Structures are given as structure tokens and as C-alpha cells.
Amino acid sequence: MTITAYCRKTGIRFLYCCLFIFTGLVHLHARSQEKLNFTAKNVSLEHVFSFINKQTDYVVFCNYELLQQGKPVSLDLKNVSVEELLEQALQGQGLTYTIRGKTIAISRKEPVLHDQRIAVPPVVKGKVTDKVSGAAIAGVTVNVRGSQAVALTDNDGNYTIAATTDAVLVFSFVGYGKKEVAVNNQATINVALEPVSQQLDDVVITALGIKRERRAVGYSVTEVKGASLTEARETNFVNSLEGKVAGVNVSNVATGPGGSANVIIRGVSDITGSNQPLYVIDGIPMQNSTYRQTDISGGYGGADGGDGTININPDDVETISILKGAAATALYGYRGSKGVILITTKSGKTSKGIGVELNSNYVIQSVIDNTDWQKTYGQGSAGNKPVTGDDAFELGLSSWGAPLDGKQAYQFDGVQRPYSAVSGNMKRFYKNGGAATNTLSFSKNLGADGSLRFSASDLHNTSIIPNAGYQQQSFSLSTNYKLDKHLEVQLKAQYINAYTHNRPSVSDAPGSVNFATLFLPPNVNIISLAPGYKADGSENQFLDDAYTTNPYFAAYKFINNTHRNRFIGSADVRYTFDNGLYLQLRAGEDYFADRNTMVTPNGTAYQTDGAMTEENIKSTELNVDAIVGKPFKINKDFSITALVGVNSRKAVTDQLVATGNTFETPYLYTVGNLASPTEYTSNPVIVNKSVYGTMDFSFKNFLYLSATGRNDWYSTLAPGKTDYFYPSVSGSFVFSELLHIPGMDLGKLRAGYANVGGEADAPYQTLLGYNNIGNLFGFPIGNISNGGTVPNATLRPSSVKEFELGAELDFYGGRLHTDIAYYNKRESREVIPAVTSEASGYNAVLLNSGTILNKGIELLISGMPVKTKNFTWTEILNVTYNNNKVLSLSSGSSNYPLGYSRAGEDEGVGVAYMSQTLNKSAYQIYVADPARDDNGKIMVDPTTGAPVAGTDYKDIGSGIHPWTTGITSEFRYKHFNLSFLIDAKFGGKIFSGTNYYAYQFGLSKLTLPGRDVRYGTNEIYPQDYYNLISNTNPAIFVFDASFVKFRQIILGYTFPAAVFKNKIQGITLSFVARNIFTIKKHTPNIDPESNYSNGPQGIEQAQVPYTRTFGLNLNVKF
Amino acid sequence: MRCSLKHILAVAMIFIIHTSCKKDFLKTNTDPNSVSVDVFDPNNILTATQLYYTGSSDNAIEVEETEIQGAGCFIQHWASTSAYYFGDKYLFSPGGWGSFFDHAYTYQVKNAVDVYTTTIGKPQYKNLHQVARIMKALVFERITDVYGDVPYFDAGKAYHESKYFPAYDKQHDIYMDLLKEVSEAVDSLDENADKPVGDMFYASSDDQVAEWKRFGNTLLLRMAMRLTKVDPATAKTYVTKVIGKTMTSNDDNAIVRHGTNDPLTINRIYRGIGEDGGIQLSGQISKTFIDFLQSNDDPRLPVFSYIYPPDFSPGDDPSGGSAVPADQVGLPNGYDGGNTSHGIINYPGYLGNINLYSRPGPIIFNATAPTLILTYAESELLLADAAQRWGIGGDAAEHYNNGVIAAITQLSAYGDEGTISDDDAQAYLAAHPYNEAKGLELINTQYWAATFFNEYEAWSNYRRTGYPQLKPVTYPSSQSPGAIPRRMAYSTVDKQINGTNYAAAVAGLDGGDKITSRMWWDVK
């Protein structure tokens, strides 16, 4: 069967299914909000309630027992309100309803109290209030445990119920924890119910933006409120998630403002590619390209080209829903296999009238100097000071001089200065950075018809690095409108204009602001290097190595800028038939245009004539979805919600690059001024087509099952192998509905399994192609265009299989909430460039090879130890353990090197490298191992006294932490709130290039002993001895990267509206701080979170230093 | 209204599914920026092979690292106090040892094998195929000469034969096959078949096929002579076979000219060491080489060597320095930049500034300077060696004379400034006539002078003959104490990835994977 035929058949199969849904309908006519139409014969109450749930913003809650007792209704109502509909439906049922906010509670109408024929038990009265606000709560169900007796509180929160003196009253209401009180002869029982904390929201957003009851969901979903990211904020909002969510490992990428973020959900599952999750904003998959990352593979570092998430303004975010496992993300196909972060932006729905909100955030970023260098010896060699300026110039960063004596000594510029320590070069070079963010939003709730919100935001972030920073203006518009009773339209648009000014180079010394700054000898003041250039504009070299750039020259003369224009827009049309069937058509596009300008200026010591690269990148992803769905009621206990959808995705990147060196007219940095610019284009196009469906089954109110299926066609796979089907199933069992466990509000077990298949990350990998890449005296220079990777004409999709188990337990009216998850995720047949021997002519071959297993446990516990009207104390703890193991690589290979450290880099090979290794966890750090004798003892060269160089590398451990944890403490006293976050990671290692170089340069305190002795029979100098050790036994630079950090603190005060005579709804002023201090670390001279890559973790060197942030946040609501 | 909307949505869904079926994914997944082998001219890959033979376009990093900083210093053409120049002091340098391995296979072997394979059985590319075959042998000969046993039979075949982890073949087997391959290729070249247009060596010559025959035979001569120590019988057989068929003048020299595109077409040594218009100040000419040229009044000295102005910075105009032979000072090998007993500042007679030492001059050391691949001078000196050694192939003195003259006059390839008159060359020869008693030393010392900037060849010929007589350096932590290294250790990258085959190769290596171990043809 040809693909086309198979496709067509599949398509038709689904179409039949759609038609079936069209015809098998109950006749219901519906409207939402104020005016509803409802026509139905003999339908259950549940049907009416689910109709209200679907068609309005209200959520109906009803005890299942009551529902079961309900009689079928037949109604024919036109243009009625929700209240009218309910009254009609509940007539004669013995039931009544209460509306509070957007929730409708159904309860028994007449308490048994009024039945005069029965012996009247004593009457208990009382008032139910909100424990936090003290306000009365209307509609609370008061039930005598073990009996049918039920009462409801009135509008003032008062109730009356007949109960025997030994009875136990059960108070329950939506949004509050259940409370049980023994009567014990009391005539009056006043009760304060506790609002349930946010994590216990009863509705969660799942894949495709479908809202589902939390109890029904068979996999782990964590929601984070946008509001929690806006106060103590990060330029890239993703970084503020660090330590907050179980199973989500966010780590710092130390590349300065405009750099990328690194998020790994449920472990490293991709052996070579990106492990970043899929970001979906309002239903539209977002581009999170990191097309220019720092380069761990070559060790040179370079600059971080940023990513896509940096453009998201957290002020526009309503909620973030994190779908971790494959069962949760199955509807997104392979792209969701590394987790999905669903971002729902704010709408105007919650505003009262016209809402105006201003959020202003001003923070100062100051450098954290982790270095603790020796201050005993100065610049020099073999224990001697420089004797001339030239001598100092040649000695450069060598701190192997004489003991600092405070007398005059020459420096590189020929000037004599005191030979004494001038500590604090880092604080002298790096300025205080700062970020100002102002977001102003307007919103309007149009009631039943829709809502509108518009926001404008400006972010201005100056880096701690001189002459660098990030700026962003963003505009966001969100509208939804009901055109008529069937048709609802939603339009969302965001426009972002961002400018990254001078992305800093990390790791290697050329063009780096960080390298020389770190390693200047103790007696050299960095100010003497300023301004970094001579009168003619060329670099003012301070040492005899063209490749170690003067940091001031790097900061002020190098250019590495990105201008980005981005537009993310979506249109969503939903047509709902009277019977509940809906059709939805959604199209969304994320388009950005980047212009990158990178200039190595004229006069750069290592590239005098200068060089330049100018890139224009236009990248777009278009997604079109059509979805049809409908709920079905099989009988009173059993219902099904079905959904079928199709998706078409097209991702196109259009890249035009001009690059070259030598500016014909010096200091004129244009492509046209280059002596011989080279231009090239690349145009990757990826097309996916998918058909997917989901069936949600529910039985009574305790058993839920969801099954999904997705069929994908991938353009990037081998011809004839582009079409695959993947299933998932998940379920939830709410056992607390069947067992009565004292104190337990919710007890739920869940399980899920999914199989997802995936495409190759990039197109054009199935065929060998040829092109020409230049011309030499009329000879076209041919080229195999696949680069170093052998194409593969038999590529199949990869496979991710994940099983997860979990439990959620809520106790004591939401005072204690626990969520535990276990997962087992196996990615296999990954389409990776399996590394090959270079002797094969290629570095890699694209193969379906590689298996990686992640097993882990996620635990979330939140508790409220104290809760009074004026004071609450909340603790939220999350703990994650992830066990990660590479089970197979390409055949014949047990090691997949990912890249060398630049430290000790000698002709492309460093003293350390990162690797994926068979039967080890991901990102293993290998270091050169000295020669050993038969007993494994390190062999020492008697002539030098230092270890003999070996040619083997030793595996030290993984750069990824298996344990991550965070604990948030929140205190609220009247109008004050205080929260802080302590987070920690354990078990990962890091190879420190910074410590390596400090050792070689004689800056490290470890090099202090034995400065005045000679080593070995050759009596070599300490500088040579230590230098040898650094290269022969670099394991001494691998550290345990575990840490505990005091990450964040927020202290806020909310001015009540009354202060402003209600003209302003509220003002909250907060003091905020992040990265306040490190409680525990094991990495001398560096921050343990010093990775500079958003890919492999575990190698650091001269990245942008960590910063401490503190400032103020002001939020005003008009 | 409702009905029409329903239809629109239903149609939209069908459309989305339907286009997924109709869509020609194969077309979507074909790179618009490339073509398939059916329409591509393999001549362009020959061009790439010849260009990459002079060095990769990866900033020519292996030329910088393995050839100049390594072999060039071993053989004392070059010297440096910088630790990057591991060859100066035979330092531990896995990256420097292996860089050539890593780049030679992915640039030279990959393209040579591709053009060779895609032209098999295509009559329109009959000669191109044979030229590719010779190029392939040229490439492999150099790799095995640097490392010893290396992947050969299965190498470069990842795409065409799905061989991803090639075994390391015995150098003996490699050499026997190279000799066979080049012989067959030369015999198969056909005057009546195609003239390979991608051939930068000889496309512009009057008789391209004849030139390739001479090139092939000269290559056979060089390969055969490499076996003088280990297998003189085979060596003699092949030398005898090619006598009279080798290169006849400098016009036969195989040369790659370079362009200004950095790093694609630029001169590789300049790219690697000079880099982007500047000169990396750390690389100097060895005292050994300068002293040889100076003491012999060699007319090549002002072409090769130059004292740049003391305040010269990379990219500056080099004029104002000196090419005057008497001014030239070579840097001694074996010193570092520190202030220890091995520090250059403690070298007796140190000039006080490293910039005052001779470096390769702007005539030969610039972006567009040509690369000499295989020359008539080498050919004649090898014939002189054979004649002296075995009395075959004519008169040793005559070949010596031809070789010495050609090695001097071949510098005209560098333009007028490099051109040395025949009279000056003859005068030099007259002052250094052939002397049979010291024949081999004279011949191979001249070979050393003739292969400046062709460092692997100079080093290989030294290992074969022991000439010129070099004084090895001593230095703490030297990996070859007091002896010129005999090979480069293998690539660390391949050791990790192709571990099993690597281990098998090392097992067959006396002394292990060290720079002191000797390869098959380099018997003591």
C-alpha cells in the first residue's frame, strides 16, 4: 500500500468517525452566560449541569448521590438565565442551588428539620465564615454525618440544622476544605472554613488547552500562577521556575542578559539533541530556537544566541501548566515528549468594568565574586618580578613572581606601580546591572459577550558587563467575543521588539570580557587596562598573547547584537451546536525575524583586519488545527467525552548569512566593506500532518479513563516511512469517594502510559546532496552538503514510552496537600547522528539508535501549619529524584563524546570532555588520567616530581544533578506578606576550567606551597611543576556541584483599597531579591551553577559571573 | 448560516487531512540548496580534494597544529618558545598529534573516496576516475607516513559502504596496495578519454594525461623509496619500473594556487600560523635551518626568511624589516618563554626579544602563496638516492644536480620576488658539488631544504634516511627525550570512538601509541 493510499484511508476512517458524531446527537439547544436555550427530553440532571459547565463560565458542583437521585427532566427553554434554567431543572427534585462567584453548588432543598412528624432532634445553629477574610459564606452544605440531614447557609452564612447531641456536622463548600465538628451538646456552632490553596484548584489545563477536573486527570500536571513570576522576576521568565516545580530541572545558563534558559523535565532523554520542552502559548506551539548556542562541542564557548522564551512577558501570563509525562503530552506527539509548558495568557474575563493595571519592577544586579585567589605573590616568573615593561607584557597572566612587597614593579605598560595586591578586579570591571520593567494593561469584561485585554510592556536590562544589555518592548492583545449563540471567536496577538546589545563570549579568551578579568595577577589593577584601545582604535594589548583579549576592548569594541521582531498570533473560531457538539478551527503563527551582527573589530590583536558576520534569519511556524468534540452520556453513571482533531504544522527557517574578514576601509563595519564576503543560505522546511483523537470516560465520580491516539506524518523521515500511530492511556481512581478516611478531602491514585514517536530534528537528512561552496581560479569547489553526517534513507521515527504512577492526597480542608509521582520513561530508536570514527570520512551517521532511560520520583508536599484570620504560614516542598541511564548508543560505540573543555585545550583536545556513555547517566565528565602502574598508582616522573602524562581519560561522573529540591515558605500577616525560596541540587559534578587556569597562572591558593623549592631531579620551577600537574592530573578540578541556595525573598505590603477611597483597587509594594546567598557549595572560586551551555551540563570556564538581584516591585490596580 | 459554517469547518478538516496525503514529503525534504549525484559534476569534488590536501577549511587547524607546530619543529625547520609548538620540545600533545588524523579523513579521504567511487564505471569520467585514484593514494600515503598503521581499506566509506568504524590496516598492506593502485591508475590513464576539468594541478597544461602519468610515476618513486630500509627489493622493483617516466622539469610540479577566501581558498600554512592577515608572533624559523642556509650562502635564504620590524604587530605592513641574509637569526629549538634554565631569556646570546628572530618571509608566507604538492626536485633527489644506494636509474650526481637546481628555481612559483636566477642556482651548486663519499647525506640534506613548508615530507625523508643530522633537544617532560620523534600518536577522538580497532592497532605497535614508537617502514 502506498503512503498516499494509506493516508487517505486513515483520513476517511476519521471522517466517518466525525460523521458518526454529527448524527448521533441528542437535541439540545444551548446558549451561554446570561441567555441560554435549552431543549431536551428526558435527560439527566447531570446532562443539564454539564451543559452549564460547557456553555457558561460557571462550574456546577453536585454531590453524586444527589445526582443519582435526580429525576430525568424535559425542558424547552428559550432565552433564559442560568438561574431560570436551574430552577426549572430542579423543580420537584427536592434540590436547590447556590451561586457563589462562578461556582454553582447543588444541594438538598428542605432539610429534614421541617418534617414535623418526626421527633425533632435539638436544633444546632451557627454561622460559617471564611477563615482568611472572615466574610460569611453562603451556600455551604451542612450535613449530619451518616444521615440524610442537610442544610445550606443563607446569604449571611447562617444555618440551622437538626442534629442529635452526639452527631458530627460536616461542612463543605467548593473552594474550601471540608470541616467536621462534633455537636457535643452545643447549640451554636460557628465554623470558619479555610480556602483551599491554589494548587488545589479543581480544574487544570491539559493538552490542547482542555480544562479538566483535577480529579479526572491520570497524570501529573503542575500549575504555576503567572503572578508568582512577576515580582522577583528574571529577564528570561523561565529561570524563575527554578526550584519551584517537582520534576522540572531549571538551571542557570551563565551567559548574561539575552541568553537562553535551560529546562529539563523528567531527565535528559535526548542523547544528542535539545532536551528543552515544548512551549505552547494559548494553544499555539511556540518557537524556542536556540540556533546559536554556546559551543560546548568545540570548547571555544562563544556567545549564547538566546532562545524563544525570553520574549514572553510574565505580566501577560495567567497560568503556566506544566505537563511532564508522555501521557499528558501525547496529544502533542513527539514534540511534547520532553514535556510541555502550556502558557495561558491573561484575558479580560476577570476584570470589573475597565481594569487598568500597572506593574513596575526595578532591580539592581550586582556581581557575585566567587573567587578567592592568593594575594601573596605577584606577576612574574620563577619567583621574580618583571624587570621591564616588556618583561611584564610577556609574562601576562603569570602570577609566579616574587612575594608581594609593596615596592615598585613594572607592569605591561612600562609604568611602575606598587607590587602589592589590588583585590576586587571583578567588582571594578563589572558594574552594577539593572533591570526596569513596566507593564501597563487595560482590560474589559464584556460580560456574556466576551472580553478584551491589551498590554504594553517595556523591559530595559543593563548587564553587569559594560556596554551590554537587553531591551524589549512587547504588546499583547487578547480578545474573545461571542458573535451569536453558536459562534465564538478568539483572537490573540503579541508583538515583540527585542534588542540584545553585545552578547558576551564565554569560555575561551579571544574576544572575552570575562577571561582576563578573572585571571589578572594580584598586583595588576584592571583599571590600568582601560579603555582597552589605543589612539588609533586598535586593541591595547596588555600581554604577549593576541588571543587573550583586553576585556575593555572586548566590551567596547566587539559587536554582537541581535535585533528581533516577533509576532505571535492566533485566531480561534468555535462553533457549538445546540446539542453540545462543537467544531473548532484554530490557526496560529509564530514568526520572528532576527538580524545578528557580529563584528571582530579592526585592531583586534588576533585579527587585525577585522571580521564580520551578518545574519538575517526569518523563522516561522504555522499551525492549523481543526477539532470536533462532544460529550456523551451513556447512562447516569457513565459518560464519555470524545474529541477528534487534525493538525498541520509547517516550520520554515530562512537564513541568509554574509561573512568575511578584512575591512577595506578600517573601522567601517559593513558587509559591503569586507574584502571577500561569503554568502550562504539555508532553508530548512519541516511539515507535519497529524490526526488525533481522545476519549475521556468517567464512571460516577471516582473512576476516570482517558485514551488518546495520534497519527503523524513527518516530512523529515525516510520516504515511505513517514506515517505512524501512537496511543496513550491514563486513568484516575478517586478512592476517597468510596472510603471515608477521616481528615482526607481527596484521595486519588492515577496511572498513565504513552507511546510517542518522533521525527528527525532537522530536514534533508535522508539523501546525499552536493553543492559548490566557492570558486578558485574558475574551479568550482564541490562539497557534500550533508556536512559531517551520513544521510540515512531508512529513517524511522523514534519512540518514547513512558509509564507513570501517582497519587494525590489532600487533608484537613486543604491544609495539607501531597502529590507523588513515579515515572519510567524510555526513549529509544532516537534519530541521532550516531558518532562514527572520523576515519570513515564522516563524524556521524544518522541512525535510529540510542536508548536512554529515565526513572524518577517527584514529590510535592504543601502544608499550612498556621492559619488564622490575620496570619497564615504555608510551606511548599518539592523533591525530585531522577535516575538517568544511557542504555545503548550506536552499534560499536560505547562512548559518544559531546565536546571538549577549552581548558588545557591543546589542538582541539582538552584535558576534560563531556560524553554520553553506555550504562552511565547522561553528560559524563571525563578528565585526562595520569599514567598509572599495574597497581593503579599514579606514576611520577622523577625528573619533574609531577605525574607522568597518560593518554587515557577517566570518568568522574555526570554533570546533571539527580536530586533537585526546593522549599518555599510563605507568611502572611494582615497586609504584609513574606515569602522565600531555598532550593538545592545534589549529586552532579562540574569540571572547572576557571580553577584549571587559576592553577596554571599561579592564582589558585593551591599553588602557594613550595614556591621557593625546585621539583624533581631536574629541579624544575614550581610554575612548571604545577603546570604539569594541571595537565596530567586534571581530576583535581572536578568538583561536586551540589548546592543549597537562598534563592529568593519577597516582602510585600498591600495597601487596602479603602486607603485610596476605593479609587484604586489596590497597591502592592514589594521588596524582592534573588540569588541572595549560597548556603552550601563545594566549588572553590566558582558558582556551582556555572554552566554556560543550555545543552550539556558539567563544564564551566570564564562565563558571565552570577549576579545577586534586589529591588522593588510595585503593582497598582485601578 | 449554521449549515454553511458546519460545512466550512468540515471541509477545512478534510482539506488538512487531504493535503497531508497529497503532499509530496520527499520533495519537502529535499534541500533546495543541493543537488543529487546524478546531476552533480564530480570534477568539483576533485577540486575540493586537491584543495583540502593542502589543509582543511576548518581554519587549516591541522596544518597549524600537527604539521607546523609538530612535524615542522621535529624536523627543525621551525622553532618556538610557545607551548603550542609541541614539536619544538616533543611535548605531550594528544590534540596536536591527532589533529591531522581527524581532519585528513574528513576532508581529504572523504572527498577522494567520493569522487573515486562516484566515477566508477562511467566512461565520461574515465580519466577523472584514475586521477581520483592517484589522489586517494597521495592522501593515504601521507596519513600512514605520519601515524603508521591506519584505517585504509575501509576508510572514507561511511556513506558509500556504510562502514562506520574502519579497522586500522597494517602499513605494509597499505603500501603494497598504494603501489598497486598507483601503478594501475597510471596504466589506465587514457589520452583519448576525458580531460578532468576539476584538476587544479594540470588542467591548464598542454597534455594533462601525460602530466598525470609523470605525477603518478613520481609518486610511485617516492612511495617505493620510503621502503629503502624495510623492503629494498620492492623499492628497487618499483623504482626501476618508473625510471624515465617521472617528472622532467619544474613545469611538471604539482601546485595548488590559493585565493583570498579565508578559510576556504587561502594558503593553509598562512591560515594556520599567520591567521587572518597577521602573523602569530610565536612561530620562528629554527636556528638549525637558518644556520644551514646562512653558512652555505644559500640563495633561498632571503626568500624563506625575514626579520620583521621589532614593533611589528600582526597585520602591519612588514616592510622595514630585513631579508638580508647576514641579518637572519634562527631561534634555537628547545626553549620556553619562562625564566627557568630552559627559558629563552637564559639562552646565551638571546637577543632580548623574540621578535628579533627570523620568521618565514612575506614572499612565501602570505594568503595567496601557492602550495607545492610534489616536485621535480624531490623526484630527482629521490632518483639520486636510488642511484647512489643501488646504482640504478642513471647517475647519482646528475640527478643530484638536477634536484638542487630545481629546488632553488622552483621558488619562482612564489612569483618574481621568489624567483632565483639559474646563475645563482648554478653558483650554489658549484659551491656544493656532489660528493659520492657523503652522497646520501648531501642528497637528503638537500631534500630537507627542498621541502621547507612541506613538513611531513621533510620529516618522513629524515626518518627514512637519518639526514640531515639533527641534534635533538632535551627538555623536562619531553615525550621523546633526546631523540627526534618517529611518529605522531593516534587521534584521541578515534581512540574514544573507534576504541576496539584502535586497541588492535596499538597492540601491533612496538612501544605502544607513543611518538617514539617506530612504524613498519621505519625500522632501525
Side-chain angles (χ1 to χ4, degrees), chain A residues 417-488:
Chain A
R417 296 188 182 87
Y419 200 59
S420 52
V422 285
S423 43
N425 273 333
M426 279 179 75
K427 299 228 168 180
R428 228 168 268 134
F429 179 76
Y430 298 109
K431 310 177 302 174
N432 273 345
T437 317
N438 287 290
T439 303
L440 184 63
S441 69
F442 304 92
S443 53
K444 182 155 170 59
N445 188 349
L446 305 174
D449 293 328
S451 66
L452 186 147
R453 180 179 183 274
F454 171 79
S455 79
S457 179
D458 177 74
L459 161 66
H460 198 100
N461 186 180
T462 44
S463 174
I464 55 165
I465 297 166
N467 199 30
Y470 181 76
Q471 292 167 36
Q472 177 172 299
Q473 289 79 43
S474 63
F475 303 90
S476 164
L477 179 69
S478 167
T479 65
N480 61 85
Y481 200 80
K482 293 195 169 87
L483 296 176
D484 79 347
K485 59 178 184 172
H486 298 297
L487 193 61
E488 183 177 1

Side-chain angles (χ1 to χ4, degrees), chain A residues 139-151:
Chain A
V140 175
T141 306
V142 187
N143 169 232
V144 177
R145 198 165 89 191
S147 85
Q148 301 286 321
V150 173

Side-chain angles (χ1 to χ4, degrees), chain A residues 7 384 547 575 607-608 661 683 689 715 764 770 772 779 782 787 837-840 891 906-907 950-952 1021, chain B residues 2 20 29 33 35 44 65 69 92-93 95-96 102 105 110 114 156 164 197 262 275-276 314 339-340 494-495:
Chain A
C7 270
N384 300 313
Y547 294 97
Y575 190 91
Q607 192 147 31
T608 324
N661 56 36
N683 316 85
K689 304 282 177 180
S715 72
Y764 316 143
Y770 294 84
N772 295 317
F779 295 95
S837 164
E838 288 183 326
S840 73
S891 62
D906 169 37
E907 334 290 23
T951 53
D952 288 323
Y1021 288 84
Chain B
R2 192 194 316 159
S20 76
N29 204 31
N33 298 312
V35 295
N44 301 357
E65 295 176 342
Q69 296 176 349
F92 181 78
S93 179
D102 297 336
Y105 281 100
K110 174 187 183 180
D114 191 75
Y164 306 127
V197 294
D262 176 7
E275 205 163 40
D276 303 329
N339 191 6
T340 68
D494 209 51
K495 174 182 177 175

Side-chain angles (χ1 to χ4, degrees), chain A residues 393-598:
Chain A
F393 183 75
E394 281 188 23
L395 288 164
L397 299 176
S398 171
S399 295
W400 295 100
L404 291 166
D405 56 11
K407 293 176 187 159
Q408 295 295 101
Y410 280 99
Q411 296 200 355
F412 77 97
D413 50 5
V415 177
Q416 293 199 62
R417 296 188 182 87
Y419 200 59
S420 52
V422 285
S423 43
N425 273 333
M426 279 179 75
K427 299 228 168 180
R428 228 168 268 134
F429 179 76
Y430 298 109
K431 310 177 302 174
N432 273 345
T437 317
N438 287 290
T439 303
L440 184 63
S441 69
F442 304 92
S443 53
K444 182 155 170 59
N445 188 349
L446 305 174
D449 293 328
S451 66
L452 186 147
R453 180 179 183 274
F454 171 79
S455 79
S457 179
D458 177 74
L459 161 66
H460 198 100
N461 186 180
T462 44
S463 174
I464 55 165
I465 297 166
N467 199 30
Y470 181 76
Q471 292 167 36
Q472 177 172 299
Q473 289 79 43
S474 63
F475 303 90
S476 164
L477 179 69
S478 167
T479 65
N480 61 85
Y481 200 80
K482 293 195 169 87
L483 296 176
D484 79 347
K485 59 178 184 172
H486 298 297
L487 193 61
E488 183 177 1
V489 190
Q490 222 177 79
L491 287 169
K492 297 212 175 193
Q494 289 193 65
Y495 170 74
I496 296 123
N497 178 27
Y499 172 54
T500 311
H501 181 43
N502 284 339
R503 299 180 181 279
S505 282
V506 294
S507 180
D508 206 3
S512 168
V513 293
N514 304 310
F515 192 89
T517 307
L518 259 179
F519 300 122
L520 277 183
N523 61 312
V524 178
N525 189 325
I526 196 164
I527 298 294
S528 64
L529 275 56
Y533 50 90
K534 298 184 227 168
D536 65 354
S538 66
E539 180 177 352
N540 182 25
Q541 279 185 269
F542 70 98
L543 80 176
D544 187 20
D545 173 7
Y547 294 97
T548 300
T549 304
N550 183 318
Y552 288 99
F553 187 77
Y556 288 99
K557 296 294 181 184
F558 273 68
I559 298 172
N560 189 345
N561 298 339
T562 305
H563 282 274
R564 168 173 287 182
N565 277 291
R566 185 170 187 176
F567 178 80
I568 304 172
S570 67
D572 191 328
V573 184
R574 186 176 166 122
Y575 190 91
T576 310
F577 292 86
D578 294 338
N579 56 21
L581 174 82
Y582 69 90
L583 289 166
Q584 188 177 6
L585 193 63
R586 178 163 61 199
E589 181 156 13
D590 178 2
Y591 168 89
F592 69 78
D594 277 8
R595 183 186 171 106
N596 295 316
T597 307
M598 288 159 276

Side-chain angles (χ1 to χ4, degrees), chain B residues 148-199:
Chain B
D149 297 350
V150 290
Y152 173 73
F153 291 102
D154 287 348
K157 295 180 174 172
Y159 176 71
H160 293 290
E161 296 183 24
S162 302
K163 287 178 173 159
Y164 306 127
F165 300 98
Y168 288 53
D169 297 301
K170 292 282 171 206
Q171 191 176 46
H172 168 267
D173 300 341
I174 296 170
Y175 257 91
M176 294 309 123
D177 195 63
L178 290 175
L179 290 164
K180 174 188 79 81
E181 282 291 296
V182 179
S183 303
E184 286 179 15
V186 169
D187 293 345
S188 308
L189 282 165
D190 182 352
E191 283 287 357
N192 299 316
D194 61 303
K195 307 272 186 284
V197 294
D199 167 27

Side-chain angles (χ1 to χ4, degrees), chain A residues 39 90 152 230 254 418 465 666 708 714 750 753 824 855 951 969:
Chain A
T39 307
L90 299 180
L152 279 181
T230 55
I465 297 166
T708 72
Y714 301 113
R750 55 171 199 250
Y753 174 82
N824 181 316
K855 285 192 280 194
T951 53
S969 304

Side-chain angles (χ1 to χ4, degrees), chain B residues 282-486:
Chain B
S282 49
Q284 280 77 22
I285 302 183
S286 167
K287 181 177 189 306
T288 314
F289 194 45
I290 292 286
D291 287 357
F292 167 81
L293 297 168
Q294 219 165 29
S295 62
N296 291 307
D297 245 342
D298 197 309
R300 285 170 288 197
L301 180 56
V303 178
F304 285 162
S305 175
Y306 191 71
I307 306 269
Y308 287 78
D311 59 345
F312 178 81
S313 304
D316 289 355
D317 179 358
S319 64
S322 172
V324 175
D327 292 350
Q328 304 306 310
V329 189
L331 183 74
N333 292 92
Y335 289 86
D336 63 25
N339 191 6
T340 68
S341 56
H342 306 281
I344 188 70
I345 64 170
N346 295 319
Y347 170 71
Y350 175 57
L351 298 179
N353 183 340
I354 209 84
N355 295 341
L356 299 176
Y357 288 88
S358 295
R359 293 198 293 268
I363 300 169
I364 58 166
F365 192 56
N366 67 70
T368 56
T371 302
L372 277 59
I373 306 293
L374 184 64
T375 64
Y376 172 61
E378 288 168 68
S379 180
E380 286 300 305
L381 291 170
L382 287 165
L383 287 169
D385 185 315
Q388 171 68 31
R389 209 177 279 269
W390 300 310
I392 57 173
D395 178 32
E398 194 185 322
H399 287 305
Y400 170 83
N401 293 348
N402 290 342
V404 170
I405 296 291
I408 293 169
T409 54
Q410 74 183 13
L411 300 185
S412 62
Y414 294 105
D416 290 347
E417 284 183 298
T419 304
I420 298 166
S421 70
D422 277 352
D423 291 351
D424 288 350
Q426 292 293 348
Y428 176 84
L429 177 63
H432 304 90
Y434 189 67
N435 171 358
E436 201 177 325
K438 293 176 67 184
L440 288 179
E441 180 173 1
L442 277 177
I443 293 163
N444 290 298
T445 303
Q446 286 298 331
Y447 198 90
W448 174 65
T451 48
F452 185 48
F453 272 35
N454 187 358
E455 305 301 346
Y456 295 127
E457 185 54 33
W459 179 41
S460 290
N461 202 60
Y462 167 81
R463 287 176 287 157
R464 176 179 75 85
T465 65
Y467 298 116
Q469 289 180 340
L470 299 173
K471 186 168 174 286
V473 307
T474 55
Y475 187 82
S477 76
S478 162
Q479 302 296 299
S480 179
I484 306 285
R486 309 309 298 189

